[in-house]
Amino acid sequence: MEQKPLPIQYQAADANLPTAMHVVDQEALGRARRKAYLRLLPLLFLCYVIAYVDRTNVSIAKLEMTKALPGFDNAVIGLGAGIFFLGYFLLEIPGALIVERWSARKWICRIMLTWGAMAALTALVTKPWHFYGVRFLLGLAEAGFFPGVIIYLTHWFPARDRTRALSYFLVATPLAQMISPKISNALLKIGTTETVNGVLVHHPQVLGMSGWQWVYVAWGVPAIVLGIVVLFMLTDRPRDAKWLTAEERDALEGEIENDRTKAAKGKRMTFGEALRNPRVVLLALAYFFCVSGTYGIEYFLPSILERWYSLKIDAITWLIILPPALALGGQLFVGWSSDRLRERRLHAVLPIMLGVAALVAATLSRGTLSLTIVCFMLAFTGMKSYQPAFWAMPSLFLTKSAAAGSIGLINSVGNLGGFLGPTVIGSVEKWTGSFEGGLYYLCVSMTISALILFFLGVGKREAAA
């Protein structure tokens, strides 16, 4: 028998609830949740894989860029890698608000088309200022993608599923770091000469371009293709989804609205009030200090291994796959555990402190390659695994535009740490001839992040519903 739409139940006894609470058909809700996971997350995941490769493939390309281009050293690469985040900073909040108020599908499509073009144009740089300019434009182009997806997931996934959905999305970053090095390494050989089994082998240029140029082009084109796919495959909100039944749409919309009602108990915040909220500001600072460590390592781990152990590129690109492989499992575990225990704070703090301890150990491990790799594996795991729990925190006390703007602020301010971390690592190496001082700076930065999150008071364990 066909079910009729379920009624709305009003809870007049609780004056703090600003809107009605919906009675939700749990069976229909379960079907809708499963369909949302299978329909939306694989595409968003794939988009983020390409996005992450396009912002970080400079760590591999630089191994040949610094040889081919006059004036390109670690300081130039570090500054250029960081300048990406200055452009990123400018459009993060507007991008998040556009997703909330207009269309995630159209905005993400626009982002991917422009960032794909900018990523490919990096192949044309010949001078440091060219590199700085295209990295800034790449940041502008990609701005809004990450917070936009975070907001988009709140349109589709109830609070009970949100951290897990975030963890499935966020494992795109370690997976990107696992699959891209060997592909980029193969591309990097174009236009170079190497010795294979004692024989000198020359790899000719393709279309007049060398390998480091093809690293940028080959990863930029997929972003453009995926942008077109997004336009036709994503659905903005459950009410627009023709692939859900009417009962499933009503159940999912009702459950999400109930979550918003609970989060909005007491005084509702305006967008401006949310941006001035001390908890929002502190979350942004915590993210800043942790991101500083994350990108400092990601951009320079290949160079660190090359310096410490005189490794060839083939060996380096095998070894740098190992840290993100362990981090992938860590992110999935934290997402699962955080949702199961309804706790966010310690699920963010403890992984960060694991990363700090492992990074300190890494600076002391030089001379033993296997120990160094284990240390960086644990450091990566800590620096990645905190994110599902962290990004579930803003929606615990903010709703709608306030949450959208705040998530944009947190991500934009936080990602300025992506400017500082690589810049410090590159500059300290240039001044001292060593990476160790920069690594210690990253340890201090991440420790500050963990302390902020621990004392913030957001995300403590909730009572079971």
Side-chain angles (χ1 to χ4, degrees):
M1 180 182 295
E2 185 177 352
Q3 290 184 329
K4 295 181 180 180
L6 291 166
I8 292 176
Q9 176 182 351
Y10 291 92
Q11 295 187 340
D14 189 347
N16 287 326
L17 290 180
T19 60
M21 295 289 287
H22 296 254
V23 176
V24 174
D25 181 341
Q26 293 299 316
E27 184 178 345
L29 176 62
R31 295 195 304 270
R33 290 164 61 204
R34 287 191 294 272
K35 288 182 180 180
Y37 272 112
L38 294 174
R39 171 85 179 198
L40 304 175
L41 282 173
L43 179 56
L44 293 172
F45 173 89
L46 186 57
C47 291
Y48 197 30
V49 167
I50 299 300
Y52 213 79
V53 173
D54 280 335
R55 75 166 68 166
T56 60
N57 57 13
V58 64
S59 66
I60 299 295
K62 72 174 283 294
L63 298 176
E64 289 297 330
M65 285 180 70
T66 53
K67 300 174 184 177
L69 300 178
F72 278 71
D73 55 21
N74 282 324
V76 169
I77 296 295
L79 180 58
I83 281 175
F84 167 91
F85 295 101
L86 297 183
Y88 198 78
F89 172 80
L90 295 178
L91 292 183
E92 279 290 88
I93 295 176
L97 291 174
I98 286 170
V99 168
E100 177 64 42
R101 298 177 180 178
W102 181 48
S103 168
R105 176 176 60 90
K106 295 175 183 177
W107 187 241
I108 293 173
C109 170
R110 191 287 305 163
I111 288 172
M112 298 190 70
L113 293 176
T114 53
W115 107 46
M118 290 301 105
L121 283 175
T122 312
L124 302 181
V125 305
T126 57
K127 294 180 173 58
W129 70 268
H130 294 166
F131 183 57
Y132 300 151
V134 77
R135 290 292 297 183
F136 178 79
L137 292 175
L138 180 63
L140 280 179
E142 194 188 319
F145 174 78
F146 181 82
V149 171
I150 301 300
I151 294 300
Y152 181 68
L153 293 179
T154 69
H155 296 168
W156 275 95
F157 293 94
R160 71 171 89 173
D161 296 325
R162 208 161 288 156
T163 305
R164 196 179 320 163
L166 279 169
S167 70
Y168 292 151
F169 171 67
L170 290 169
V171 294
T173 65
L175 186 67
Q177 292 167 308
M178 290 167 60
I179 65 174
S180 66
K182 297 311 296 182
I183 297 173
S184 296
N185 181 42
L187 294 168
L188 206 58
K189 294 181 179 182
I190 297 172
T192 65
T193 300
E194 64 175 339
T195 302
V196 180
N197 297 325
V199 178
L200 203 62
V201 178
H202 177 68
H203 305 281
Q205 290 187 332
V206 176
L207 300 179
M209 293 193 297
S210 298
W212 68 266
Q213 295 171 299
W214 278 108
V215 168
Y216 294 116
V217 172
W219 288 110
V221 171
I224 297 172
V225 174
L226 280 172
I228 298 170
V229 174
V230 161
L231 187 63
F232 293 99
M233 291 295 294
L234 279 192
T235 307
D236 282 321
R237 294 178 185 267
R239 61 175 174 264
D240 303 319
K242 295 180 181 179
W243 41 273
L244 295 176
T245 66
E247 291 80 8
E248 290 164 354
R249 288 194 294 267
D250 291 342
L252 192 53
E253 289 273 9
E255 181 75 359
I256 291 169
E257 190 57 39
N258 286 344
D259 289 338
R260 289 173 177 161
T261 297
K262 293 174 186 175
K265 283 184 178 180
K267 183 179 182 296
R268 285 180 179 266
M269 288 187 195
T270 65
F271 168 56
E273 288 170 337
L275 297 188
R276 296 191 298 272
N277 186 292
R279 289 183 292 184
V280 172
V281 174
L282 287 171
L283 283 174
L285 286 175
Y287 196 50
F288 172 90
F289 286 114
C290 203
V291 166
S292 183
T294 302
Y295 282 109
I297 295 300
E298 289 183 6
Y299 282 120
F300 280 99
L301 180 57
S303 299
I304 291 171
L305 295 177
E306 184 183 45
R307 172 72 57 80
W308 287 4
Y309 297 102
S310 301
L311 299 174
K312 294 183 178 180
I313 294 176
D314 283 345
I316 290 171
T317 51
W318 277 117
L319 290 172
I320 64 175
I321 290 173
L322 299 176
L326 185 61
L328 188 152
Q331 281 190 321
L332 291 174
F333 173 78
V334 168
W336 169 81
S337 178
S338 180
D339 274 348
R340 185 177 68 87
L341 298 176
R342 296 174 179 268
E343 199 281 338
R344 317 300 182 191
R345 183 181 64 154
L346 292 180
H347 280 82
V349 171
L350 294 179
I352 293 172
M353 291 311 301
L354 169 65
V356 171
L359 204 54
V360 171
T363 64
L364 304 175
S365 70
R366 184 173 181 177
T368 306
L369 178 60
S370 59
L371 182 58
T372 297
I373 294 301
V374 169
C375 289
F376 278 116
M377 288 174 70
L378 293 173
F380 259 73
T381 301
M383 291 186 291
K384 293 292 186 181
S385 297
Y386 80 97
Q387 292 191 36
F390 176 86
W391 285 111
M393 289 181 180
S395 60
L396 295 177
F397 61 96
L398 298 168
T399 58
K400 294 192 176 180
S401 291
S406 297
I407 288 171
L409 176 72
I410 292 166
N411 197 52
S412 61
V413 171
N415 271 296
L416 289 178
F419 169 78
L420 188 61
T423 301
V424 169
I425 289 280
S427 298
V428 169
E429 187 279 332
K430 182 177 181 179
W431 296 334
T432 67
S434 170
F435 287 108
E436 280 87 340
L439 293 176
Y440 284 124
Y441 158 76
L442 302 184
C443 292
V444 173
S445 180
M446 292 166 60
T447 300
I448 294 171
S449 173
L451 290 172
I452 292 172
L453 293 176
F454 183 80
F455 290 107
L456 185 60
V458 174
K460 294 180 181 179
R461 187 168 183 174
E462 306 169 20

